[in-house]
Amino acid sequence: MPGAETFRASADVYDRHVGRYGAALAEALIAFAGVEPGMRALDVGCGPGALATALVAKLGAANVSAADPSEPFAQACQARLPGVEVVVATAESLPFPDDTFDAVLSQLVVNFMREPEAGIRELARVTRSGGVVASCVWDYAGEMTLLRAFWDAAREVDPERGALADEAAVMAWCADGELGELWRTAGLKDVRTGSLVVSAVYADFEDLWSPFPTGIAPSGAFCASLDNEQRAALHDAYRRHLGVGAFPFELTARAWAAAGAVP
Ligand SMILES: C[S@@+](CC[C@H](N)C(=O)[O-])C[C@H]1O[C@@H](n2cnc3c(N)ncnc32)[C@H](O)[C@@H]1O
């Protein structure tokens, strides 16, 4: 099952894949976490910088840091946000002293961590006592329409490999309530959970499809692994599952969120 390595990709391609939802999701996560002006914040697994951009708008660049193990994504984030400290690092090993931040947020990253509990403990380590650690993950099994329809089509075209790669089956911590369990296990207190629903617009189905054959993200990696005939079948099945075609449309996406305070 491909994972974190599928994000060693161009920011432009990411922006056309799930990155389309990033800005709206970042606003929702920041509100859910209770980030307020005057705080210092860290975006873990920043990608090309959707959450960091929203944090800068709220807190100012001098109060925002960002980290991602993907060099192309970290470079893209740095280029987009020159005043932000961007480091190449994993959640499990952050190059910051204890108690550095008031808020540490992580958007769509926990399920890609090699050691999620160690990762959340590390997010808490760099957060001051009383500060907030918050994240969200896609509802792959349900209301993340872009990816749910993709995997339903993949399972139709190649039932065996599609079932093995379906992120609803593969990804941990992505069912309702699971992220909250992880937060409690990692020692956070006053844990809250909720759902964040956002949307993205597409010019037509080809606009949606264009990033998948590049191999970006687990879904793109599955698409790129198919031969031409199977990929064409996936393209047609995906369009049918979504019920869209040559005209503009909008899709909604739900993420599960958790926030907790550092003791
Ligand atoms: C789905 S993308 C989310 C990017 C960004 N947060 C956003 O909302 O657009 C997942 C990100 O997690 C990063 N990642 C993978 N493994 C990680 C780890 N162990 N620690 C931190 N980030 C990781 C990837 O490089 C990628 O940028």
Side-chain angles (χ1 to χ4, degrees), residues 126-145:
V126 301
T127 309
R128 68 164 170 80
S129 175
V132 63
V133 175
S135 289
C136 61
V137 291
W138 287 131
D139 174 17
Y140 294 101
E143 303 297 320
M144 197 313 174
T145 310

PDB file of all heavy atoms in Angstrom, residues 126-145:
ATOM      1  N   VAL A 126       6.001  19.708  21.773  1.00  0.00           N
ATOM      2  CA  VAL A 126       6.410  21.054  21.339  1.00  0.00           C
ATOM      3  C   VAL A 126       5.328  22.101  21.620  1.00  0.00           C
ATOM      4  O   VAL A 126       5.503  23.269  21.281  1.00  0.00           O
ATOM      5  CB  VAL A 126       6.831  21.071  19.847  1.00  0.00           C
ATOM      6  CG1 VAL A 126       7.992  20.106  19.613  1.00  0.00           C
ATOM      7  CG2 VAL A 126       5.661  20.768  18.912  1.00  0.00           C
ATOM      8  N   THR A 127       4.222  21.674  22.237  1.00  0.00           N
ATOM      9  CA  THR A 127       3.124  22.585  22.595  1.00  0.00           C
ATOM     10  C   THR A 127       3.214  22.884  24.094  1.00  0.00           C
ATOM     11  O   THR A 127       3.445  21.981  24.898  1.00  0.00           O
ATOM     12  CB  THR A 127       1.761  21.921  22.296  1.00  0.00           C
ATOM     13  OG1 THR A 127       1.767  21.430  20.960  1.00  0.00           O
ATOM     14  CG2 THR A 127       0.618  22.900  22.472  1.00  0.00           C
ATOM     15  N   ARG A 128       2.993  24.135  24.468  1.00  0.00           N
ATOM     16  CA  ARG A 128       3.060  24.494  25.894  1.00  0.00           C
ATOM     17  C   ARG A 128       1.902  23.862  26.656  1.00  0.00           C
ATOM     18  O   ARG A 128       0.855  23.542  26.062  1.00  0.00           O
ATOM     19  CB  ARG A 128       3.028  26.017  26.067  1.00  0.00           C
ATOM     20  CG  ARG A 128       1.696  26.616  25.678  1.00  0.00           C
ATOM     21  CD  ARG A 128       1.513  28.027  26.201  1.00  0.00           C
ATOM     22  NE  ARG A 128       0.337  28.646  25.609  1.00  0.00           N
ATOM     23  CZ  ARG A 128      -0.917  28.442  26.007  1.00  0.00           C
ATOM     24  NH1 ARG A 128      -1.182  27.629  27.016  1.00  0.00           N
ATOM     25  NH2 ARG A 128      -1.918  29.052  25.401  1.00  0.00           N
ATOM     26  N   SER A 129       2.063  23.740  27.964  1.00  0.00           N
ATOM     27  CA  SER A 129       0.981  23.237  28.807  1.00  0.00           C
ATOM     28  C   SER A 129      -0.241  24.148  28.642  1.00  0.00           C
ATOM     29  O   SER A 129      -0.116  25.377  28.697  1.00  0.00           O
ATOM     30  CB  SER A 129       1.452  23.225  30.264  1.00  0.00           C
ATOM     31  OG  SER A 129       0.387  22.855  31.099  1.00  0.00           O
ATOM     32  N   GLY A 130      -1.390  23.549  28.400  1.00  0.00           N
ATOM     33  CA  GLY A 130      -2.617  24.325  28.180  1.00  0.00           C
ATOM     34  C   GLY A 130      -2.849  24.668  26.721  1.00  0.00           C
ATOM     35  O   GLY A 130      -3.936  25.118  26.352  1.00  0.00           O
ATOM     36  N   GLY A 131      -1.827  24.469  25.885  1.00  0.00           N
ATOM     37  CA  GLY A 131      -1.986  24.718  24.455  1.00  0.00           C
ATOM     38  C   GLY A 131      -2.790  23.606  23.787  1.00  0.00           C
ATOM     39  O   GLY A 131      -3.110  22.586  24.413  1.00  0.00           O
ATOM     40  N   VAL A 132      -3.099  23.805  22.500  1.00  0.00           N
ATOM     41  CA  VAL A 132      -3.987  22.869  21.802  1.00  0.00           C
ATOM     42  C   VAL A 132      -3.244  22.097  20.705  1.00  0.00           C
ATOM     43  O   VAL A 132      -2.405  22.651  20.001  1.00  0.00           O
ATOM     44  CB  VAL A 132      -5.215  23.615  21.206  1.00  0.00           C
ATOM     45  CG1 VAL A 132      -4.795  24.638  20.147  1.00  0.00           C
ATOM     46  CG2 VAL A 132      -6.226  22.634  20.617  1.00  0.00           C
ATOM     47  N   VAL A 133      -3.584  20.788  20.604  1.00  0.00           N
ATOM     48  CA  VAL A 133      -3.123  19.938  19.497  1.00  0.00           C
ATOM     49  C   VAL A 133      -4.379  19.489  18.755  1.00  0.00           C
ATOM     50  O   VAL A 133      -5.290  18.929  19.370  1.00  0.00           O
ATOM     51  CB  VAL A 133      -2.345  18.711  20.014  1.00  0.00           C
ATOM     52  CG1 VAL A 133      -1.991  17.776  18.862  1.00  0.00           C
ATOM     53  CG2 VAL A 133      -1.080  19.152  20.756  1.00  0.00           C
ATOM     54  N   ALA A 134      -4.434  19.762  17.453  1.00  0.00           N
ATOM     55  CA  ALA A 134      -5.652  19.442  16.700  1.00  0.00           C
ATOM     56  C   ALA A 134      -5.308  18.926  15.312  1.00  0.00           C
ATOM     57  O   ALA A 134      -4.328  19.352  14.706  1.00  0.00           O
ATOM     58  CB  ALA A 134      -6.552  20.676  16.585  1.00  0.00           C
ATOM     59  N   SER A 135      -6.147  18.014  14.825  1.00  0.00           N
ATOM     60  CA  SER A 135      -5.946  17.432  13.495  1.00  0.00           C
ATOM     61  C   SER A 135      -7.278  17.076  12.877  1.00  0.00           C
ATOM     62  O   SER A 135      -8.302  16.992  13.566  1.00  0.00           O
ATOM     63  CB  SER A 135      -5.136  16.135  13.573  1.00  0.00           C
ATOM     64  OG  SER A 135      -3.811  16.376  13.885  1.00  0.00           O
ATOM     65  N   CYS A 136      -7.215  16.777  11.577  1.00  0.00           N
ATOM     66  CA  CYS A 136      -8.370  16.177  10.918  1.00  0.00           C
ATOM     67  C   CYS A 136      -7.886  15.174   9.877  1.00  0.00           C
ATOM     68  O   CYS A 136      -6.758  15.259   9.390  1.00  0.00           O
ATOM     69  CB  CYS A 136      -9.268  17.241  10.295  1.00  0.00           C
ATOM     70  SG  CYS A 136      -8.461  18.240   9.037  1.00  0.00           S
ATOM     71  N   VAL A 137      -8.741  14.193   9.598  1.00  0.00           N
ATOM     72  CA  VAL A 137      -8.451  13.132   8.611  1.00  0.00           C
ATOM     73  C   VAL A 137      -9.705  12.942   7.756  1.00  0.00           C
ATOM     74  O   VAL A 137     -10.827  13.141   8.228  1.00  0.00           O
ATOM     75  CB  VAL A 137      -8.096  11.791   9.300  1.00  0.00           C
ATOM     76  CG1 VAL A 137      -6.757  11.872  10.004  1.00  0.00           C
ATOM     77  CG2 VAL A 137      -9.182  11.371  10.291  1.00  0.00           C
ATOM     78  N   TRP A 138      -9.529  12.540   6.519  1.00  0.00           N
ATOM     79  CA  TRP A 138     -10.700  12.340   5.646  1.00  0.00           C
ATOM     80  C   TRP A 138     -11.569  11.185   6.120  1.00  0.00           C
ATOM     81  O   TRP A 138     -11.060  10.169   6.604  1.00  0.00           O
ATOM     82  CB  TRP A 138     -10.270  12.046   4.216  1.00  0.00           C
ATOM     83  CG  TRP A 138      -9.722  13.194   3.433  1.00  0.00           C
ATOM     84  CD1 TRP A 138      -8.564  13.191   2.707  1.00  0.00           C
ATOM     85  CD2 TRP A 138     -10.297  14.498   3.246  1.00  0.00           C
ATOM     86  NE1 TRP A 138      -8.391  14.409   2.087  1.00  0.00           N
ATOM     87  CE2 TRP A 138      -9.435  15.231   2.403  1.00  0.00           C
ATOM     88  CE3 TRP A 138     -11.457  15.125   3.714  1.00  0.00           C
ATOM     89  CZ2 TRP A 138      -9.691  16.557   2.016  1.00  0.00           C
ATOM     90  CZ3 TRP A 138     -11.710  16.439   3.340  1.00  0.00           C
ATOM     91  CH2 TRP A 138     -10.841  17.134   2.501  1.00  0.00           C
ATOM     92  N   ASP A 139     -12.866  11.327   5.898  1.00  0.00           N
ATOM     93  CA  ASP A 139     -13.837  10.245   6.099  1.00  0.00           C
ATOM     94  C   ASP A 139     -13.844   9.399   4.822  1.00  0.00           C
ATOM     95  O   ASP A 139     -14.769   9.458   4.013  1.00  0.00           O
ATOM     96  CB  ASP A 139     -15.213  10.863   6.378  1.00  0.00           C
ATOM     97  CG  ASP A 139     -16.320   9.829   6.448  1.00  0.00           C
ATOM     98  OD1 ASP A 139     -16.004   8.619   6.601  1.00  0.00           O
ATOM     99  OD2 ASP A 139     -17.493  10.223   6.330  1.00  0.00           O
ATOM    100  N   TYR A 140     -12.779   8.613   4.642  1.00  0.00           N
ATOM    101  CA  TYR A 140     -12.605   7.834   3.408  1.00  0.00           C
ATOM    102  C   TYR A 140     -13.769   6.872   3.164  1.00  0.00           C
ATOM    103  O   TYR A 140     -14.110   6.577   2.029  1.00  0.00           O
ATOM    104  CB  TYR A 140     -11.323   7.003   3.479  1.00  0.00           C
ATOM    105  CG  TYR A 140     -10.043   7.782   3.509  1.00  0.00           C
ATOM    106  CD1 TYR A 140      -9.354   7.988   4.704  1.00  0.00           C
ATOM    107  CD2 TYR A 140      -9.473   8.276   2.341  1.00  0.00           C
ATOM    108  CE1 TYR A 140      -8.158   8.676   4.743  1.00  0.00           C
ATOM    109  CE2 TYR A 140      -8.274   8.971   2.364  1.00  0.00           C
ATOM    110  CZ  TYR A 140      -7.620   9.169   3.569  1.00  0.00           C
ATOM    111  OH  TYR A 140      -6.445   9.854   3.600  1.00  0.00           O
ATOM    112  N   ALA A 141     -14.333   6.348   4.258  1.00  0.00           N
ATOM    113  CA  ALA A 141     -15.368   5.319   4.105  1.00  0.00           C
ATOM    114  C   ALA A 141     -16.727   5.913   3.752  1.00  0.00           C
ATOM    115  O   ALA A 141     -17.611   5.190   3.308  1.00  0.00           O
ATOM    116  CB  ALA A 141     -15.484   4.503   5.390  1.00  0.00           C
ATOM    117  N   GLY A 142     -16.875   7.225   3.972  1.00  0.00           N
ATOM    118  CA  GLY A 142     -18.203   7.791   3.809  1.00  0.00           C
ATOM    119  C   GLY A 142     -18.272   9.019   2.931  1.00  0.00           C
ATOM    120  O   GLY A 142     -18.353   8.920   1.705  1.00  0.00           O
ATOM    121  N   GLU A 143     -18.151  10.184   3.556  1.00  0.00           N
ATOM    122  CA  GLU A 143     -18.550  11.416   2.877  1.00  0.00           C
ATOM    123  C   GLU A 143     -17.400  12.218   2.266  1.00  0.00           C
ATOM    124  O   GLU A 143     -17.553  13.411   2.038  1.00  0.00           O
ATOM    125  CB  GLU A 143     -19.339  12.293   3.862  1.00  0.00           C
ATOM    126  CG  GLU A 143     -20.566  11.612   4.453  1.00  0.00           C
ATOM    127  CD  GLU A 143     -21.613  11.249   3.404  1.00  0.00           C
ATOM    128  OE1 GLU A 143     -21.843  12.059   2.490  1.00  0.00           O
ATOM    129  OE2 GLU A 143     -22.168  10.135   3.480  1.00  0.00           O
ATOM    130  N   MET A 144     -16.239  11.578   2.025  1.00  0.00           N
ATOM    131  CA  MET A 144     -15.212  12.270   1.234  1.00  0.00           C
ATOM    132  C   MET A 144     -15.465  11.823  -0.204  1.00  0.00           C
ATOM    133  O   MET A 144     -14.897  10.841  -0.694  1.00  0.00           O
ATOM    134  CB  MET A 144     -13.803  11.878   1.708  1.00  0.00           C
ATOM    135  CG  MET A 144     -12.687  12.798   1.275  1.00  0.00           C
ATOM    136  SD  MET A 144     -12.663  13.270  -0.462  1.00  0.00           S
ATOM    137  CE  MET A 144     -11.360  14.453  -0.510  1.00  0.00           C
ATOM    138  N   THR A 145     -16.342  12.553  -0.879  1.00  0.00           N
ATOM    139  CA  THR A 145     -16.927  12.078  -2.136  1.00  0.00           C
ATOM    140  C   THR A 145     -15.886  11.777  -3.202  1.00  0.00           C
ATOM    141  O   THR A 145     -15.964  10.745  -3.890  1.00  0.00           O
ATOM    142  CB  THR A 145     -17.924  13.136  -2.667  1.00  0.00           C
ATOM    143  OG1 THR A 145     -18.795  13.493  -1.604  1.00  0.00           O
ATOM    144  CG2 THR A 145     -18.716  12.597  -3.836  1.00  0.00           C
TER     145      THR A 145
END
